[in-house]
Amino acid sequence: MTRYSRQERFNPIGKVGQQKIRNKHVLLIGIGALGTSLAEGLVRAGIGRLTIMDRDYVEWSNLQRQQLFTENDAIDHTPKVIAAKNALQKMNSDCEIDAYVCDVGPVELEKLSAGMNIDLILDGTDNFETRLVINDFAQKYQIPWIYGACVGSYGISYTIIPRETPCLYCLLEAIPLGGATCDTAGIISPTVQLVTSLQLVESLKLLTENRNAMRETLYTFDLWENSTRELTIQPLKKSDCPCCGDEKTHPFLDDQAMSRSAVLCGRDAVQIRPSHYHQTDLEVVANKLREIGLVVKKNDQLLIMEENRHRIVLFKDGRAIVHGTTDKNEAKSIYHRYLG
């Protein structure tokens, strides 16, 4: 019995479809609740190449719903993509996995796209700024992508096909895509699993080139309220949309439009991005901080320092997460005080 025999016996996939999956490359942005479930599903299905990108590291609160991580990952503050790659390679050593610890913005995606054939983008993020960047990137390079989001017991999913369907920006004025966050409404794990199931089944249809089987509606549900809804949104496609219209400009691929600080959902923390991208020598920074009496912990990807009621996590790409505040100005002040 072969590894993928059960999947190959499913007639719409078969051996031909399985080989197509093996030959495809998926870019997954965000390795949190949605991303870990999506990554595991793809790797177990036999995806040939998977690229994962995420800015964060594993914390204890992640373990309730982010299925690839362990207590040791939380203790060690392991970057999520590193922990995820380690777990995924144990599931399927035949899958090529590229892992990037970074804040995903226009610069990162443009660098990634150079010489790289991407067949599908999956949304595992938790904020609309990043999703709008993904949306523009997908439109520019004509790559299908699957939007997914959840909060509390509510979830939503929609597949965006460049040149064919409305893009995410087309929907913003007509569809309530935002509102409550995990900070205000929490999240239960069954909501995550249903959203990723919706994303994964559409992924399999795309990867096996079964386009006629794909859902053409936007799908929403509320597990607690036992409700589902499908919306026909093709009429919402706008000819004057700046992202996918007749004279598109892809405004969200302008890196200057990206904010340099962001409050992180449910974390009591602010992320600070430097104005210039550079690799940081963590050992040099750690030594300087220790010289002024601060307690510093460090691994290959990040360092952690404590300052009164704040904890500062510095990544190799110069980003920092300042814990203990949701005030961007306070976070920036702390960042510049210790990191320049």
Side-chain angles (χ1 to χ4, degrees):
M1 200 69 68
T2 64
R3 179 171 193 150
Y4 306 109
S5 60
R6 297 298 189 273
Q7 192 161 278
E8 290 172 349
R9 288 180 182 179
F10 181 64
N11 193 54
I13 295 180
K15 291 184 178 295
V16 173
Q18 188 61 50
Q19 186 57 45
K20 289 178 179 178
I21 295 172
R22 178 69 181 85
N23 293 335
K24 294 298 196 319
H25 176 202
V26 174
L27 169 61
L28 172 56
I29 299 175
I31 301 295
L34 294 175
T36 51
S37 180
L38 290 168
E40 179 169 346
L42 288 169
V43 166
R44 292 192 183 278
I47 191 67
R49 185 177 184 185
L50 176 65
T51 297
I52 54 178
M53 305 176 76
D54 193 280
R55 66 190 180 186
D56 213 347
Y57 60 95
V58 182
E59 294 192 292
W60 286 97
S61 63
N62 302 149
L63 303 182
Q64 170 249 351
R65 66 202 179 281
Q66 300 182 17
Q67 63 193 50
L68 294 178
F69 306 140
T70 67
E71 290 185 351
N72 283 338
D73 293 325
I75 292 170
D76 295 338
H77 304 289
T78 307
K80 288 184 176 181
V81 293
I82 303 301
K85 180 176 180 177
N86 291 339
L88 293 166
Q89 294 282 212
K90 293 176 182 178
M91 296 173 194
N92 191 343
S93 59
D94 195 40
C95 176
E96 180 181 352
I97 300 175
D98 302 310
Y100 295 90
V101 184
C102 65
D103 190 28
V104 179
V107 172
E108 291 78 14
L109 287 178
E110 291 288 357
K111 286 181 180 179
L112 185 69
S113 67
M116 183 179 289
N117 182 39
I118 300 169
D119 297 290
L120 173 65
I121 301 172
L122 286 176
D123 171 24
T125 66
D126 62 0
N127 69 88
F128 266 92
E129 184 176 57
T130 303
R131 288 183 177 120
L132 289 170
V133 173
I134 295 170
N135 185 65
D136 259 0
F137 178 77
Q139 295 297 325
K140 179 177 179 179
Y141 292 101
Q142 303 297 298
I143 305 170
W145 74 284
I146 303 177
Y147 161 66
C150 53
V151 63
S153 58
Y154 173 83
I156 184 171
S157 181
Y158 173 58
T159 301
I160 298 170
I161 309 293
R163 295 181 179 170
E164 297 181 23
T165 69
C167 76
L168 188 67
Y169 193 78
C170 289
L171 307 183
L172 288 180
E173 294 182 2
I175 304 295
L177 301 177
T181 69
C182 57
D183 195 13
T184 59
I187 182 74
I188 55 174
S189 61
T191 311
V192 175
Q193 297 306 316
L194 184 47
V195 171
T196 56
S197 292
L198 294 168
Q199 290 178 284
L200 282 169
V201 71
E202 296 305 298
S203 298
L204 291 175
K205 294 173 187 177
L206 268 167
L207 297 172
T208 59
E209 299 167 18
N210 281 289
R211 293 286 298 276
N212 61 325
M214 294 188 62
R215 175 182 288 112
E216 297 180 349
T217 56
L218 182 146
Y219 189 94
T220 71
F221 64 85
D222 190 314
L223 289 177
W224 209 259
E225 300 295 332
N226 305 306
S227 65
T228 62
R229 188 180 182 191
E230 290 191 67
L231 303 176
T232 300
I233 58 175
Q234 192 61 31
L236 299 179
K237 185 171 176 58
K238 300 176 181 178
S239 61
D240 61 349
C241 175
C243 302
C244 72
D246 297 336
E247 298 181 3
K248 46 188 167 289
T249 59
H250 308 305
F252 298 98
L253 291 183
D254 179 3
D255 188 56
Q256 297 306 310
M258 292 287 289
S259 65
R260 294 297 173 184
S261 62
V263 178
L264 301 184
C265 176
R267 298 282 300 281
D268 189 29
V270 175
Q271 176 179 260
I272 307 293
R273 297 172 66 224
S275 57
H276 300 286
Y277 293 83
H278 62 276
Q279 288 293 304
T280 301
D281 189 326
L282 295 178
E283 187 63 33
V284 170
V285 175
N287 288 337
K288 289 181 177 179
L289 294 173
R290 288 177 180 129
E291 287 175 2
I292 60 174
L294 295 174
V295 176
V296 180
K297 299 178 182 178
K298 185 181 78 67
N299 60 34
D300 291 340
Q301 297 292 329
L302 55 83
L303 67 80
I304 300 173
M305 58 164 282
E306 303 286 343
E307 184 267 353
N308 295 325
R309 62 184 180 85
H310 300 104
R311 184 170 81 255
I312 305 170
V313 181
L314 176 67
F315 294 84
K316 288 177 68 174
D317 62 2
R319 286 181 303 115
I321 298 177
V322 181
H323 293 263
T325 182
T326 56
D327 185 317
K328 292 181 181 180
N329 291 328
E330 181 183 22
K332 288 179 181 179
S333 175
I334 295 168
Y335 176 91
H336 292 299
R337 184 186 311 155
Y338 295 107
L339 302 175

